[in-house]
């Protein structure tokens, strides 16, 4: 049931030091038990580290929720090939904003986790693939990695263990699709970021066709605390199948958007209760549990436990725990149209259902939003989405279909209203942060539906930007 | 226009691009060697090398593509295929400051659309265009992982959080006036080429740049503050420590309050 006190509901671990003096520095990190987990790990046999993480029940925080320890265990040992760890820091799934603030405030938690993971899977060269559009984070990663080398946590003979490890920080160049783990690997190999056929999975043939673990930032950053405090402690948080703590990112029409770190399984109602709720004078209309690729929810889902099983049972996915909240001023058709434009822009062009399907979805949605829809459009919308979903090469296509299906499921009336009234019944000015504030004019006559800037051109080269359903995850 | 006016339309092969002048090449070679050395296989250096040539010219020119190809023993076609796939590589000269307004759904709804509209009007340019003085290029961008700070504007990929049309116009005015501009998260702005150099993997050399702007704004700290017993603006309820917020409070934070329409 709902916890009354935020102090009891929340459980800052990754975010625990963010309020300290320069929490991004090694000195502050070490002053708060930083690198103790690493010392613990280096005292253990690598296989035991894998077993520990597996027993703790840590699951991927990038969206798919695959057990982290199991991913590590899939790496064949004694195969004579180099092994690689690649951290997916290409956070770009719409609504997702957890890894970037985490890395900005506490990059050493990732680096420590990477060293532990590398020890476990016998990797001597690890990579951080950071999306390029976040230079402030890149700056701090550069500094943190340099500090870690200086302190002997990286380089030759890490802390006298006989184990060598290098970390390369690699900045991407704008492509959501690179959050898909195999597209990320292609990108890291200096190619266009397009997904690979699986199998073989990265654990067998990943980076440079060698065994590779690809993990999300938050997954890896959660590892040091497990080593330091133990799996039993980790399991005291969250639920049986979804143990541990995680960052919930609240955004949109809420009083206090932000990062709320809590045990898995809290509900949106609880988070809204403690944080001031939906913005004053408004009511919840729809929300995403884990980014735009996860089917949307409504006010009927306020009490869904936000863990992998709970959200799945309610018909969506936990995804990246990106809780984007929209109030009653928001037009669902507008929201879905914009997300669909995003998927069309970011479709890598490799497979036909996604490349063509997302394009036609945009054409239809724009028409409907502008009041020019015709009878049969909604059925066609559903049909196209159905031809993308499950029939695309990677999860970007599934992600593109999610908002269509779920919005038609919950808000079909609103689509029909657009058709019937030949236009959008909503005033976009009412949805803005500054709506209703004194002295601020809302420029009149903003033909919003026509100003929808096209989401970039799909050049003949079929290029597209960054995708990251898997940032993570929905794909990974 | 006559059919012969534009040579490109005829599909004739272009002459190879000019190489960089020797002194530029020499300088870049040292950087390129450092980049290539970071990877087990040289081709992995391509994305950072493209950032590097962008830091030289402000965009990825045909000369830059040729340079990358020669360094990595690839064809210019292979490099071009990669350079055109990623949105951060500019294909033509552009402004000193890249101003990106997020118009993905959440930011758009919260006001990003209006900001983007107002900036276009204010600057007199459209999407992907550059002001005549060469100071600003404007682009609408996709989600930049800062939704809790929406609406968001990025300048040279530093965060300008919680923007509105007025603040965004002031921002571009300041940029055009050459004033020192500081992001809400990130370091005081440097030019586009300097930014590209950081992206190529060369740490920002400016003293203190890494430490600027703290660990994050109020949204980053929201949960942490609650966990410490503090209260949040507009959030009511019994908070153990530092009741520094305005009164509010007609609910006590206990359950059963619908999330919907929680009043402040």
């Amino acid at each position: 049931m709902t916890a009354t006190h935020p102090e009891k509901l929340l459980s800052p671990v990754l975010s625990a030091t963010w309020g300290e003096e320069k929490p991004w520095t090694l000195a502050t990190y070490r002053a708060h038990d930083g690198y103790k987990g690493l010392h613990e790990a280096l005292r253990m046999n690598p296989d035991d580290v894998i077993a520990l993480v597996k027993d703790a029940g840590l699951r991927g925080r990038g969206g798919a929720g695959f057990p982290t320890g199991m991913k590590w265990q899939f790496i064949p040992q004694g195969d004579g090939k180099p092994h690689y760890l690649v951290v997916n820091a290409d956070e770009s799934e719409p609504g997702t904003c957890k890894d970037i603030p985490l890395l900005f405030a506490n990059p050493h938690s990732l680096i420590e986790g990477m060293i532990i993971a590398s020890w476990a899977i016998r990797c001597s060269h690890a990579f951080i693939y950071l999306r390029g559009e976040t230079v402030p984070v890149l700056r701090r990663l550069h500094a943190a990695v340099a500090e870690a080398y200086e302190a002997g946590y990286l380089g030759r003979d890490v802390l006298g263990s006989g184990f060598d490890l290098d970390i390369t920080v690699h900045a991407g160049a704008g492509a959501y699709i690179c959050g898909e783990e195999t597209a990320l690997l292609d990108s890291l190999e200096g190619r266009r970021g397009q997904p690979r056929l699986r199998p073989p999975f990265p654990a067998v043939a990943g980076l440079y066709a060698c065994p590779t673990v690809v993990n999300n930032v938050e997954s890896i950053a959660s590892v040091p605390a497990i080593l330091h405090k133990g799996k039993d402690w980790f399991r005291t948080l969250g639920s049986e199948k979804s143990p541990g703590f995680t960052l919930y990112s609240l955004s949109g029409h809420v009083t206090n958007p932000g990062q709320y770190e809590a045990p898995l399984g809290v509900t949106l109602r609880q988070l809204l209760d403690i944080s001031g709720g939906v913005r004053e004078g408004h009511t919840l209309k729809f929300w995403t549990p884990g980014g735009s690729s996860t089917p949307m929810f409504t006010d009927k889902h306020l009490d869904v436990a936000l863990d992998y099983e709970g959200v799945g049972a309610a018909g969506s996915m936990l995804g990246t725990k990106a809780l984007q909240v929209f109030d009653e001023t928001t037009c669902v058709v507008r929201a879905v149209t914009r997300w669909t434009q995003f998927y069309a822009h970011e479709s890598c062009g490799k497979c036909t259902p996604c490349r063509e399907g997302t394009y036609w979805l945009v054409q239809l949605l724009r028409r409907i939003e502008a009041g020019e829809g015709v009878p049969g459009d909604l059925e066609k919308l559903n049909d196209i989405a159905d031809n993308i979903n499950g029939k695309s090469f990677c999860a970007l296509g599934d992600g593109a279909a999610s908002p269509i299906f779920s919005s038609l499921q919950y808000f079909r009336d609103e689509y029909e209203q657009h058709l019937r009234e030949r236009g959008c019944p909503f005033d976009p000015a009412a949805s803005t942060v500054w709506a209703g504030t004194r002295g601020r004019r809302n420029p009149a006559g903003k033909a919003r539906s026509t100003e929808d800037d096209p989401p970039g051109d799909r050049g003949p080269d079929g290029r597209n930007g960054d995708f990251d359903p898997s940032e993570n995850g929905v794909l990974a | 226009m006559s059919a012969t006016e534009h040579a490109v339309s005829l599909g004739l092969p272009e002459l190879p691009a000019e190489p960089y002048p020797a002194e530029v090449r020499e300088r870049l070679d040292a950087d390129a060697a450092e980049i290539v050395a970071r990877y087990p296989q040289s081709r992995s250096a391509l994305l950072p090398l493209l950032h590097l040539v962008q830091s030289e010219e402000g965009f990825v020119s045909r000369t830059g593509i040729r340079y990358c190809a020669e360094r990595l023993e690839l064809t210019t076609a292979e490099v071009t295929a990669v350079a055109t796939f990623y949105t951060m590589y500019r294909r033509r000269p552009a402004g000193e400051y890249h101003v990106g307004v997020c118009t993905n759904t959440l930011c758009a709804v919260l006001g990003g659309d209006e900001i983007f509209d107002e900036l276009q009007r204010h600057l007199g340019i459209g999407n992907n265009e550059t002001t005549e003085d060469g100071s600003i290029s404007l682009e609408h961008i996709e989600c930049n992982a800062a939704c809790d700070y929406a609406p968001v504007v990025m300048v040279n990929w530093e965060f300008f959080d919680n923007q509105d049309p007025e603040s965004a116009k002031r921002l571009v005015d300041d940029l055009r006036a050459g004033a020192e501009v500081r992001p809400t998260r990130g370091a005081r702005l440097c030019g586009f080429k300097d930014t590209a150099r950081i992206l190529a993997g060369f740490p920002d050399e400016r003293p203190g740049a890494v430490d600027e702007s703290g660990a994050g704004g109020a949204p980053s700290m929201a949960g942490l503050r609650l966990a410490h017993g503090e209260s949040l603006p507009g959030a009511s309820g019994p908070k153990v420590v530092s009741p520094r917020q305005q009164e509010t409070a007609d609910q006590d934070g206990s359950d059963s309050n619908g999330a919907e329409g929680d009043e402040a």
Side-chain angles (χ1 to χ4, degrees):
Chain A
M1 284 283 90
T2 42
T4 304
H5 296 289
E7 299 82 8
K8 289 181 187 162
L9 184 68
L10 299 173
S11 59
V13 176
L14 295 171
S15 59
T17 60
W18 294 4
E20 305 298 326
E21 175 78 9
K22 295 189 182 178
W24 55 89
T25 59
L26 179 59
T28 302
Y29 187 63
R30 269 204 294 225
H32 296 85
D33 295 338
Y35 288 98
K36 285 192 177 164
L38 174 61
H39 281 101
E40 189 59 41
L42 293 177
R43 278 194 287 273
M44 296 167 66
N45 178 291
D47 287 336
D48 295 340
V49 175
I50 295 177
L52 177 75
V53 172
K54 203 173 144 191
D55 292 347
L58 174 64
R59 297 175 62 175
R61 302 294 193 238
F66 195 83
T68 303
M70 207 177 286
K71 250 191 188 179
W72 296 3
Q73 199 175 33
F74 287 157
I75 298 294
Q77 296 300 338
D79 56 346
K81 290 184 183 172
H83 299 168
Y84 295 106
L85 170 70
V86 178
V87 170
N88 186 344
D90 192 47
E91 179 165 71
S92 337
E93 164 81 6
T96 306
C97 51
K98 63 188 183 68
D99 297 334
I100 293 304
L102 167 61
L103 291 175
F104 190 60
N106 187 8
H108 279 287
S109 60
L110 173 69
I111 294 168
E112 184 184 1
M114 288 176 73
I115 305 169
I116 295 168
S118 297
W119 168 252
I121 67 166
R122 287 85 160 177
C123 153
S124 60
H125 197 160
F127 298 84
I128 304 170
Y129 188 106
L130 176 72
R131 69 179 297 187
E133 302 97 323
T134 54
V135 171
V137 171
L138 181 59
R139 215 177 256 122
R140 290 200 176 156
L141 278 174
H142 282 156
V145 167
E147 278 184 314
Y149 270 105
E150 183 90 358
Y153 296 122
L154 291 174
R156 287 199 169 277
D157 193 19
V158 172
L159 298 178
S161 63
F163 146 70
D164 304 336
L165 179 64
D166 285 310
I167 288 182
T168 297
V169 180
H170 181 93
Y176 170 61
I177 188 64
C178 291
E180 197 281 340
E181 64 177 9
T182 61
L184 184 152
L185 294 174
D186 259 33
S187 179
L188 185 53
E189 290 182 4
R191 300 168 193 280
R192 296 161 72 93
Q194 293 190 318
R196 300 174 179 174
L197 189 64
R198 293 180 294 184
F201 289 92
V204 176
L207 188 64
Y208 313 127
C210 292
T212 302
V213 165
V214 184
N215 278 145
N216 168 258
V217 169
E218 190 189 349
S219 313
I220 291 288
S222 299
V223 168
I226 296 174
L227 268 291
H228 177 54
K229 297 184 178 175
K231 63 183 180 189
D232 295 331
W233 162 80
F234 189 74
R235 282 194 167 277
T236 60
L237 301 164
S239 63
E240 172 66 26
K241 289 184 175 169
S242 301
F245 48 85
T246 197
L247 287 164
Y248 291 97
S249 310
L250 197 55
S251 64
H253 291 132
V254 294
T255 307
N256 286 295
Q259 306 300 321
Y260 296 86
E261 194 175 2
L264 280 157
V266 300
T267 67
L268 180 62
R269 188 190 302 280
Q270 289 174 318
L271 289 171
L272 287 173
D273 272 348
I274 62 169
S275 68
V278 171
R279 66 175 175 162
E280 190 177 3
H282 294 275
T283 55
L284 175 67
K285 181 173 176 182
F286 63 98
W287 56 289
T288 66
S292 60
S293 300
T294 59
M296 64 174 65
F297 278 159
T298 68
D299 58 358
K300 302 285 188 294
H301 302 91
L302 276 164
D303 296 309
V304 169
L306 296 174
D307 56 22
Y308 301 98
E309 292 71 34
V311 180
S316 188
M317 286 179 292
L318 184 63
T320 54
K321 304 140 299 145
L323 310 168
Q324 310 177 83
V325 172
F326 298 93
D327 69 18
E328 84 291 346
T329 64
T330 315
C331 173
V332 169
V333 178
R334 177 190 182 198
V336 172
T337 302
R338 196 58 62 90
W339 278 325
T340 307
Q341 288 177 339
F342 168 77
Y343 291 111
H345 180 234
E346 304 298 341
S347 171
C348 78
K350 179 164 182 157
C351 77
T352 311
C354 173
R355 184 186 63 240
E356 302 303 316
T358 53
Y359 172 83
W360 286 108
L361 285 176
V362 169
Q363 305 309 310
L364 268 175
L365 282 164
R366 279 193 184 148
R367 182 161 95 179
I368 295 167
E369 196 194 0
E372 294 158 7
V374 298
D377 274 1
L378 302 189
E379 290 69 24
K380 193 172 288 176
L381 206 53
N382 191 73
D383 190 44
I384 296 175
D386 190 45
N387 276 293
I388 299 173
N389 190 40
K391 300 169 182 75
S392 303
F393 199 80
C394 79
L396 189 149
D398 304 341
S402 285
I404 308 275
F405 287 145
S406 55
S407 62
L408 280 170
Q409 179 184 355
Y410 299 119
F411 298 101
R412 195 178 176 96
D413 289 354
E414 203 165 301
Y415 281 95
E416 284 169 349
Q417 191 181 2
H418 280 73
L419 295 180
R420 202 168 52 242
E421 297 178 6
R422 309 209 64 77
C424 178
F426 292 87
D427 173 14
S431 302
T432 60
V433 171
W434 48 86
T437 52
R438 273 167 313 178
R440 163 107 33 217
R441 72 217 153 76
N442 288 314
K446 304 186 53 71
R448 192 240 319 141
S449 59
T450 52
E451 107 200 30
D452 276 348
D453 19 284
D457 39 15
R458 295 156 54 91
D461 53 8
R463 73 107 128 135
N464 286 303
D466 60 40
F467 153 96
D468 180 6
S470 81
E471 161 255 290
N472 297 296
V474 177
L475 308 181
Chain B
M1 95 184 120
S2 81
T4 54
E5 205 172 312
H6 298 290
V8 287
S9 66
L10 299 178
L12 293 175
E14 284 181 296
L15 290 172
E18 290 292 314
Y20 282 123
E23 71 275 14
V24 173
R25 196 180 165 88
E26 197 174 328
R27 181 159 40 78
L28 291 180
D29 279 351
D31 289 337
E34 195 178 325
I35 292 172
V36 171
R38 293 179 203 143
Y39 301 93
Q41 294 188 10
S42 64
R43 183 161 179 166
S44 284
L46 183 50
L47 266 63
L49 276 183
L50 285 164
H51 284 305
L52 180 71
V53 298
Q54 185 150 268
S55 79
E56 183 63 30
E57 298 183 81
F59 73 110
V60 177
S61 67
R62 290 179 64 235
T63 296
I65 285 173
R66 173 177 170 172
Y67 178 77
C68 293
E70 287 173 355
R71 289 296 316 193
L72 301 178
E73 297 180 332
L74 299 170
T75 65
T76 52
E78 286 169 320
V79 175
T80 304
V82 173
T84 54
F85 184 84
Y86 298 93
T87 51
M88 288 175 74
Y89 300 128
R90 296 167 158 184
R91 296 191 232 175
R92 62 188 86 89
E96 175 75 350
Y97 297 103
H98 173 270
V99 176
V101 182
C102 179
T103 58
N104 201 301
T105 300
L106 190 117
C107 274
V109 165
L110 293 197
D113 275 356
E114 195 174 313
I115 292 172
F116 185 61
D117 226 42
E118 292 258 329
L119 281 185
Q120 289 183 86
R121 203 172 2 243
H122 187 68
L123 294 169
I125 55 175
N127 186 41
N128 262 325
E129 292 179 2
T130 303
T131 53
E132 272 182 20
D133 62 1
S135 62
I136 289 175
S137 293
L138 184 65
E139 187 188 13
H140 71 78
I141 59 171
E142 297 299 356
C143 185
N144 221 85
C147 314
D148 46 346
Y149 293 91
V152 171
V153 172
M154 305 296 295
V155 180
N156 288 354
W157 306 116
E158 312 273 349
F159 292 98
F160 289 78
D161 301 314
N162 300 116
Q163 294 293 299
D164 61 42
E166 300 311 317
S167 66
K169 282 189 278 191
R170 273 198 308 277
L171 169 62
V172 295
D173 287 347
D174 286 347
L175 291 173
R176 299 184 83 177
E180 183 181 271
V181 172
R182 287 176 184 266
T184 40
R185 284 179 295 153
R188 83 206 94 102
L189 288 185
C190 50
F192 185 82
K193 292 179 185 175
D194 300 319
T195 303
R197 186 170 173 82
I198 299 170
L199 286 161
F202 296 99
D204 194 333
E205 305 284 357
R206 297 174 298 167
V210 172
D211 294 337
E212 284 178 36
S213 83
S220 294
M221 305 300 160
L224 193 58
R225 286 180 58 188
L226 281 180
H228 289 167
E230 299 177 35
S231 61
L232 299 177
S236 54
K239 296 296 161 347
V240 187
V241 203
S242 51
R244 65 169 89 150
Q245 293 318 324
Q246 56 271 72
E247 40 12 4
T248 47
D250 50 315
Q251 58 145 322
D252 61 4
S254 65
D255 20 326
S256 83
N257 269 312
E260 319 117 331
D262 265 354
E263 32 246 322

